[in-house]
Amino acid sequence: MPTPIVAGNWKMNTTVGEAVTLASALRDPLDAIEGVEKVVCPPFVSLLVVKNALGDSSTAVGAQNMHFEERGAYTGEVSPPMLADLCSYVIIGHSERRQHFWETDEVVNRKVRAALEAGLRPILCVGEGLEEREEGYAESVVTSQLRGALRRVDSIATLAVAYEPIWAIGTGMAATGEAAEAIMVAIRSTLSELYGDAAAGETPLLYGGSVTPDNVAEFAGQPNITGALVGGASLDAGRFAEIARQFAGG
Ligand code: PEP
């Protein structure tokens, strides 16, 4: 079994000062939790101060996005080598990027490959919309996104996959543990088909979508769910630490 990952996606929240305050509040409580990889993903502008605030603690830093090119005339963008100096993880293909910034499977694929090349651990997000779920296509949408994102990717040794049903993100309507587990099984079997059972078995599969300290046990108790990607609840140090603690076994 892979080490579980509990990652906080702060999205477009926190000023630089607020990010330092939150990171400082998280430092000791997260350090006390063993057996879980803890990751915080602040906005780009706060990566350095959060890294400094966490210092030599066991909590890793991640970015929420990146461009796939190394450098050049891409005004406003941030490249993989720039991030590699600041953090070790990067969220790729979040549904908000796909929805509001028109990221296609092809773009997500280029980003996954660029992240791996730069030595960053991608947290690759996949997930279906409400209509797709209601029409019975959840599994095929997710596995097709996964195949698209992993085209020409040779090794998934450092990859984590986050299953985030779009209808569950920020809505307070989390999936049931059972429904999330069913999709994780499909993800695991697609990874097995592409990379073999050993590599697939070692890949952390995170659930994301309205995870809170109150419902996290439902996900942490599933055999194929090895972590969580947390949005809203990651902005509160106590709630985020409690979620990580439950993935460590309480
Ligand atoms: C997310 O942003 O990835 C997310 C899962 O958000 P929330 O926990 O707020 O639903």
Side-chain angles (χ1 to χ4, degrees):
M1 281 291 274
T3 301
I5 297 174
V6 173
N9 175 12
W10 297 1
K11 309 197 190 193
M12 197 173 71
N13 295 297
T14 67
T15 60
V16 172
E18 289 164 350
V20 172
T21 303
L22 180 54
S24 306
L26 280 166
R27 191 190 152 120
D28 290 347
L30 290 185
D31 256 354
I33 302 166
E34 290 178 359
V36 176
E37 174 80 349
K38 296 127 327 189
V39 186
V40 292
C41 303
F44 285 135
V45 293
S46 296
L47 283 170
L48 182 59
V49 291
V50 166
K51 176 179 147 80
N52 290 341
L54 291 170
D56 59 1
S57 89
S58 58
T59 300
V61 181
Q64 301 172 16
N65 176 40
M66 56 166 222
H67 198 276
F68 47 76
E69 293 289 355
E70 277 192 18
R71 65 179 64 78
Y74 299 98
T75 303
E77 291 294 324
V78 173
S79 80
M82 292 173 191
L83 291 180
D85 277 348
L86 292 170
C87 60
S88 45
Y89 284 82
V90 59
I91 298 171
I92 291 182
H94 192 283
S95 61
E96 288 155 14
R97 302 284 326 162
R98 295 178 191 255
Q99 189 183 342
H100 302 304
F101 302 95
W102 313 284
E103 286 193 10
T104 60
D105 284 345
E106 164 69 19
V107 168
V108 171
N109 174 242
R110 293 182 76 168
K111 291 187 176 190
V112 168
R113 286 188 282 131
L116 292 171
E117 213 160 287
L120 293 160
R121 276 194 86 170
I123 299 176
L124 165 64
C125 299
V126 291
E128 83 285 359
L130 185 58
E131 220 174 273
E132 292 162 331
R133 167 146 296 262
E134 286 174 346
E135 288 173 4
Y137 297 125
E139 190 176 310
S140 61
V141 166
V142 166
T143 54
S144 148
Q145 286 175 345
L146 187 64
R147 286 175 193 279
L150 295 177
R151 222 166 275 140
R152 284 168 286 153
V153 171
D154 298 328
S155 165
I156 54 167
T158 61
L159 180 88
V161 179
Y163 166 55
E164 299 206 308
I166 297 168
W167 46 270
I169 297 179
T171 59
M173 276 180 22
T176 62
E178 204 177 297
E181 171 68 11
I183 298 288
M184 296 307 190
V185 169
I187 291 174
R188 188 89 69 199
S189 98
T190 303
L191 293 177
S192 286
E193 187 194 310
L194 297 173
Y195 299 98
D197 292 347
E202 279 305 312
T203 305
L205 303 185
L206 285 54
Y207 168 76
S210 296
V211 174
T212 67
D214 298 330
N215 65 18
V216 64
E218 193 174 338
F219 304 108
Q222 303 293 335
N224 283 286
I225 301 183
T226 39
L229 181 53
V230 185
S234 72
L235 294 169
D236 180 293
R239 279 157 64 81
F240 185 63
E242 180 53 29
I243 290 168
R245 206 171 289 122
Q246 293 203 38
F247 266 101

